[in-house]
Amino acid sequence: MTCIAVLPYYKVQREVTGLAQEIKSNERSMILYSDKIVTKYREFHIKDVFDMSFRRMGNGGDFSTSIQVPGCIPIW
C-alpha cells in the first residue's frame, strides 16, 4: 500500500499540578493511504470517515485537524 500524503502535527497536552501548568508537545504524523488514515495510535478506514477538516489557528502556521467517524469522539 502506497502512502498518498503525510501531515505532520503536534499533540499538545496541558497538565495543571498545584499552582503550575506544564505544557507537553509531541510531534506526530497523520498518514493518508487509499483506503485508510493512520495516526500514532489509531487507524480509520476511509469508508468510515464522515469528515476531515483543517483550519488555521492563530497568526502562525498552526492548523487544527478534525477527523469525524460516526460513533467515535473526534480527534482535535
Side-chain angles (χ1 to χ4, degrees):
M1 189 172 341
T2 304
C3 169
I4 295 172
V6 177
L7 175 67
Y9 70 97
Y10 289 93
K11 169 73 175 183
V12 178
Q13 295 175 304
R14 293 177 180 87
E15 294 181 16
V16 178
T17 56
L19 299 175
Q21 176 176 310
E22 184 178 347
I23 299 174
K24 295 179 182 178
S25 179
N26 296 310
E27 186 173 359
R28 297 184 181 177
S29 294
M30 184 180 305
I31 306 168
L32 173 65
Y33 296 97
S34 60
D35 63 338
K36 63 185 175 181
I37 298 170
V38 178
T39 65
K40 185 172 182 177
Y41 296 108
R42 297 181 179 166
E43 185 173 304
F44 304 93
H45 294 282
I46 289 293
K47 65 182 175 94
D48 297 330
V49 175
F50 176 71
D51 180 46
M52 185 170 176
S53 58
F54 305 92
R55 59 187 161 136
R56 186 171 297 279
M57 302 293 290
N59 295 331
D62 301 333
F63 285 89
S64 174
T65 305
S66 172
I67 298 176
Q68 295 181 10
V69 179
C72 183
I73 298 172
I75 295 177
W76 295 101

